[in-house]
Amino acid sequence: MGANDLNKLELSVGRWGNSLAVRLPAELARELGLREGSTLQLARNADQSFTLSPAARASRSTRPPGWRRRGRIWRRCPLGIGHPRDA
C-alpha cells in the first residue's frame, strides 16, 4: 500500500461483540499515530460527509480530579483515595 492508496479507502465493517468495528490498514494506523486502545473522533462536516481523526489525549492537568489511569482504562477513584501524584 503506497501513499496514494491512503487518499481514498474502502474499509470493511465487522462484528466485535455486540458492536460493529472498522478495521484500519496498518499503514494508515501508523500514519495517524494509532495503537491498540487509541481513541478516534468522528465529526460530521457541513456537506454531511464525515472526518475521522485521532482524539486529543487527556493529560493529567485536563482530566477530572479523582480519575486515574490503570493500564489503558480510566477509572474513578473511591472518595478520598487517589494516587500521590494527583495531590
Side-chain angles (χ1 to χ4, degrees), residues 10-42:
E10 287 188 15
L11 304 173
S12 62
V13 177
R15 183 158 301 280
W16 186 2
N18 289 332
S19 301
L20 296 177
V22 176
R23 185 177 295 261
L24 301 176
E27 187 175 340
L28 177 60
R30 276 191 298 275
E31 185 175 313
L32 294 173
L34 301 174
R35 61 179 193 263
E36 186 177 344
S38 295
T39 303
L40 296 173
Q41 182 176 16
L42 183 68

Side-chain angles (χ1 to χ4, degrees), residues 33-83:
L34 301 174
R35 61 179 193 263
E36 186 177 344
S38 295
T39 303
L40 296 173
Q41 182 176 16
L42 183 68
R44 184 186 304 264
N45 302 317
D47 64 357
Q48 300 305 307
S49 65
F50 291 93
T51 302
L52 186 63
S53 59
R57 288 184 166 175
S59 69
R60 287 186 197 162
S61 60
T62 60
R63 68 179 169 170
W67 287 83
R68 66 177 174 179
R69 187 172 181 138
R70 185 168 186 175
R72 293 186 312 235
I73 301 171
W74 287 96
R75 298 184 189 270
R76 181 104 170 112
C77 295
L79 292 176
I81 300 174
H83 195 280

